[in-house]
């Protein structure tokens, strides 16, 4: 979990981003009482991505290696996180569990951390997208509770979700697993394939 005044690293593992959105993300994170930092090279561009694969993988590993950083927050999604797998040092990353936040293409990294290390990660707002665009794009109260409380969140109420299958009972409990549907499908048959038996599966997709 994350406590106030603990440092957050903003990282760019996927698509390139705009400086003004990054600046707004820093402001928003600090209004949540978390000091933030980022590397200037996060604004690099290599066609579609925020710099080449080597740059993005090295940035991610430095964030996990830094003992002062308690959370790693993805700037945005897009494409490219799975390209980093072959460049990541599992021994280096696995030694320092941290809060990891993001969705969309971050699903691949969340599955990587979960399957290899058993980590809990957070399917939450992107720093330089949802946070930068204001509280109408995320639920501030739920976000703070999720990343700062060690106890389970309990029931999550949202009018933007659709129940696909209720199970045998009207109310069910279990480990919440899932993420972006296309990324989950892309990991099928790989070491990072999601095992959902005994869990509650959630899927994110665009209509």
């Amino acid at each position: 979990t994350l406590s106030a005044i603990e440092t957050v690293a903003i990282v760019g593992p996927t698509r390139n981003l705009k400086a003004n959105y990054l600046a707004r993300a820093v402001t928003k994170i600090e209004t949540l009482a978390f000091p933030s930092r980022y590397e200037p090279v996060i604004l690099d561009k290599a066609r579609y991505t925020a710099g080449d694969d080597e740059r993005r993988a090295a940035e991610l590993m430095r964030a996990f290696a830094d003992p002062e950083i308690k959370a790693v927050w993805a700037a945005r999604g897009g494409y490219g996180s799975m390209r980093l797998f072959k460049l990541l040092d599992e021994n280096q990353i696995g030694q320092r569990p941290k809060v990891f936040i993001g969705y969309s293409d971050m699903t691949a990294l969340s599955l990587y951390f979960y399957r290899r290390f058993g980590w809990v990660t957070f399917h939450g707002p992107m720093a330089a997208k949802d946070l930068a665009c204001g509280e109408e794009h995320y639920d501030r109260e739920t976000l703070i509770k999720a990343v700062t409380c060690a106890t389970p969140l309990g029931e999550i109420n949202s009018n933007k979700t659709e129940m696909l299958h209720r199970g045998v009972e009207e109310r069910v409990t279990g480990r919440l697993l899932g993420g972006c549907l296309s990324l989950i499908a892309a990991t099928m048959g790989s070491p990072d394939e999601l095992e959902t038996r005994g869990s509650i599966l959630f899927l994110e997709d665009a209509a």
Side-chain angles (χ1 to χ4, degrees), residues 33-64:
F34 307 128
S36 64
R37 67 172 66 164
Y38 63 88
E39 298 183 4
V41 288
I42 196 175
L43 293 172
D44 283 2
K45 293 184 180 181
R47 295 190 177 182
Y48 190 79
T49 57
D52 60 27
D53 295 348
E54 288 74 17
R55 186 215 72 76
R56 291 179 286 116
E59 174 193 58
L60 193 63
M61 287 193 292
R62 284 192 294 270
F64 278 100

Side-chain angles (χ1 to χ4, degrees), residues 5-197:
I5 75 170
E6 290 186 317
T7 303
V8 171
I10 304 173
V11 297
T14 55
R15 187 174 178 177
N16 58 59
L17 57 149
K18 297 179 180 179
N20 60 328
Y21 277 79
L22 178 60
R24 284 154 59 183
V26 170
T27 299
K28 294 293 184 180
I29 290 175
E30 293 186 349
T31 63
L32 299 176
F34 307 128
S36 64
R37 67 172 66 164
Y38 63 88
E39 298 183 4
V41 288
I42 196 175
L43 293 172
D44 283 2
K45 293 184 180 181
R47 295 190 177 182
Y48 190 79
T49 57
D52 60 27
D53 295 348
E54 288 74 17
R55 186 215 72 76
R56 291 179 286 116
E59 174 193 58
L60 193 63
M61 287 193 292
R62 284 192 294 270
F64 278 100
D66 190 333
E68 294 185 3
I69 291 172
K70 303 303 181 183
V72 179
W73 206 321
R76 62 162 304 159
Y79 162 79
S81 64
M82 292 182 71
R83 294 168 58 117
L84 307 184
F85 287 7
K86 64 183 182 295
L87 300 172
L88 298 177
D89 185 331
E90 291 184 36
N91 292 326
Q92 179 179 329
I93 292 176
Q95 290 178 2
R96 298 184 184 275
K98 301 179 190 287
V99 170
F100 180 74
I101 307 171
Y103 69 98
S104 186
D105 206 59
M106 293 308 108
T107 294
L109 286 173
S110 288
L111 294 181
Y112 178 98
F113 299 144
Y114 174 67
R115 294 288 285 171
R116 285 166 170 76
F117 314 128
W119 289 359
V120 172
T121 58
F122 297 88
H123 192 80
M126 299 292 192
K129 182 177 182 290
D130 308 282
L131 287 185
C133 291
E135 290 188 27
E136 64 272 23
H137 294 271
Y138 69 100
D139 186 318
R140 178 188 175 108
E141 181 180 351
T142 302
L143 171 64
I144 295 297
K145 185 178 179 182
V147 301
T148 61
C149 296
T151 55
L153 264 178
E155 185 175 355
I156 301 173
N157 294 310
S158 172
N159 58 8
K160 296 182 179 180
T161 59
E162 177 185 354
M163 185 74 70
L164 299 177
H165 181 63
R166 295 185 178 277
V168 178
E169 302 291 339
E170 184 67 19
R171 296 176 64 86
V172 296
T173 60
R175 178 174 292 178
L176 186 63
L177 296 175
C180 179
L181 178 58
S182 62
L183 271 294
I184 291 175
T187 61
M188 298 298 286
S190 78
D192 301 292
E193 178 178 342
L194 187 60
E195 172 57 70
T196 60
R197 282 180 292 186

